[in-house]
Amino acid sequence: MNDEQPVSVTIARGRGSCSQRMAVLEAVARAHGIATRVRGRLIDGAFWYPRFPRLQAVVPTEVVLAWPEFRIEEAWVPVSDLYDGLCVSSGFRNDGSETLFDAVAHTVVDWAGASSSPTCDLSAHVREDLGWFDSRDDLFHAYGQTLCPAARLLVDPVLSRHYRGQAITT
């Protein structure tokens, strides 16, 4: 999984990881004049165990996460708040086929522990808040990607099959 994959590649493939699809959402926002930034977080690798039960041995112990924010009406709005008031689900469990990208459309995904609903609070999985960055590229330049280039080459074919149904047209 290449977090620095160009948006054009994700669009050409017609699919991508939740991070790659969020990068597409950011690019679309910028194309329409909406400023974006990301908040970097270091997430405990165990957070992904339910999603990849057969791959737990190869899941990194820490994962760098770029969580997009959008400048709307003079305020920075996290991607999970874009659907504020429309959320009908009681939280995100990170199991099954649903990704973080899918979840934000119907549930609060709270990395900061600010939600009034404990089922939406994922802050216990955050090992470190890395702060805000003007772009995901800046974040990954500062902290690197979770997987080294060799691991990405080996993992991409496996995850590509896994994400085959994760279309960017959500």
Side-chain angles (χ1 to χ4, degrees), residues 22-39 67-72 75-77 79 82 132-138:
M22 284 190 193
V24 172
L25 180 62
E26 291 170 64
V28 169
R30 287 190 305 274
H32 289 289
I34 300 170
T36 67
R37 68 179 185 184
V38 297
R39 186 161 186 184
W67 198 246
E69 295 186 357
F70 304 86
R71 187 79 173 165
I72 300 172
W76 285 104
V77 180
V79 65
L82 290 178
W132 286 271
F133 295 82
D134 291 335
S135 71
R136 64 183 42 247
D137 290 341
D138 290 347

Side-chain angles (χ1 to χ4, degrees), residues 9-104:
V9 172
T10 304
I11 291 171
R13 287 175 121 180
R15 66 183 186 283
S17 68
C18 57
S19 180
Q20 292 164 340
R21 292 185 293 151
M22 284 190 193
V24 172
L25 180 62
E26 291 170 64
V28 169
R30 287 190 305 274
H32 289 289
I34 300 170
T36 67
R37 68 179 185 184
V38 297
R39 186 161 186 184
R41 292 196 169 92
L42 197 59
I43 307 298
D44 188 332
F47 173 71
W48 276 270
Y49 287 176
R51 183 159 179 73
F52 303 107
R54 294 186 183 128
L55 299 174
Q56 286 183 13
V58 297
V59 171
T61 58
E62 299 176 330
V63 175
V64 176
L65 177 74
W67 198 246
E69 295 186 357
F70 304 86
R71 187 79 173 165
I72 300 172
E73 297 179 2
E74 305 304 316
W76 285 104
V77 180
V79 65
S80 54
D81 292 356
L82 290 178
Y83 300 93
D84 191 27
L86 300 176
C87 297
V88 295
S89 177
S90 62
F92 177 67
R93 291 178 298 280
N94 202 25
D95 56 7
S97 63
E98 183 178 55
T99 68
L100 285 168
F101 182 87
D102 302 324
V104 296

Side-chain angles (χ1 to χ4, degrees), residues 97-168:
S97 63
E98 183 178 55
T99 68
L100 285 168
F101 182 87
D102 302 324
V104 296
H106 64 83
T107 191
V108 175
V109 177
D110 175 19
W111 295 107
S115 172
S116 60
S117 171
T119 61
C120 299
D121 183 1
L122 301 179
S123 63
H125 301 286
V126 177
R127 287 190 172 184
E128 185 178 347
D129 186 336
L130 304 175
W132 286 271
F133 295 82
D134 291 335
S135 71
R136 64 183 42 247
D137 290 341
D138 290 347
L139 167 65
F140 294 121
H141 179 70
Y143 288 94
Q145 292 191 56
T146 299
L147 299 176
C148 68
R152 287 194 305 266
L153 284 173
L154 295 172
V155 171
D156 187 62
V158 174
L159 290 182
S160 287
R161 282 194 301 273
H162 184 77
Y163 286 115
R164 189 162 282 136
Q166 307 303 320
I168 60 171

